[in-house]
Amino acid sequence: MYRARTRNIEVTVTPRFMPEQSKPRARQYFWAYTVEIVNLGAETVRLHARHWRITDGEGREQRVDGLGVVGEQPVLAAGERFEYTSGCPLETPAGIMAGSYEMVTDAGEEFMVEIPAFSLDSPHDVRTLN
């Protein structure tokens, strides 16, 4: 579990490798990750957009930007939480994801919330030490 807190918005990510959706011989690896967003502050906020940086085990980076998450732009009043699950395919048996959410208050103020960096690990990732 990976956690970050920005301006009273807490983001927790739990990734898991999905062997039943992966085909290592074809260089296809798949992870699911569950994100929980909790509003620990006093002001109501809306998740407007997401920004992801996905880096595979060979250092190739992909950026994913879009409105909302899983087709929603959730509104979180004080004390409320939102949880969703999504997925990430890679051609390597390991990688790293990190990013941010664009949030907007009821007053129209925009701010960024950190999504903690988290590792995408699989049992197929074999690293050697020199």
Side-chain angles (χ1 to χ4, degrees), residues 67-119:
L67 294 177
V69 291
V70 294
E72 297 184 50
Q73 290 184 322
V75 174
L76 295 109
E80 290 187 332
R81 63 185 286 280
F82 179 79
E83 183 177 291
Y84 72 95
T85 299
S86 191
C88 177
L90 289 179
E91 293 180 1
T92 61
I96 297 173
M97 289 182 67
S100 59
Y101 294 125
E102 269 180 58
M103 307 296 272
V104 181
T105 67
D106 277 348
E109 179 187 358
E110 297 179 6
F111 64 99
M112 302 300 281
V113 169
E114 176 189 2
I115 302 169
F118 57 96
S119 63

Side-chain angles (χ1 to χ4, degrees), residues 4-83:
R5 187 171 171 176
T6 309
R7 197 172 150 170
N8 291 316
I9 306 297
E10 187 173 80
V11 178
T12 304
V13 183
T14 306
R16 63 192 175 284
F17 179 65
M18 306 295 289
E20 67 279 0
Q21 294 183 29
S22 299
K23 298 176 184 171
R25 290 185 180 171
R27 291 182 46 96
Q28 296 174 358
Y29 303 89
F30 191 82
W31 290 264
Y33 56 90
T34 299
V35 178
E36 179 186 54
I37 305 164
V38 181
N39 183 353
L40 301 170
E43 57 191 343
T44 298
V45 297
R46 177 175 54 90
L47 191 159
H48 174 69
R50 69 189 182 284
H51 306 283
W52 286 105
R53 291 179 319 280
I54 305 165
T55 307
D56 72 12
E58 295 176 1
R60 294 178 296 229
E61 186 176 278
Q62 176 185 1
R63 292 189 175 263
V64 178
D65 300 301
L67 294 177
V69 291
V70 294
E72 297 184 50
Q73 290 184 322
V75 174
L76 295 109
E80 290 187 332
R81 63 185 286 280
F82 179 79
E83 183 177 291

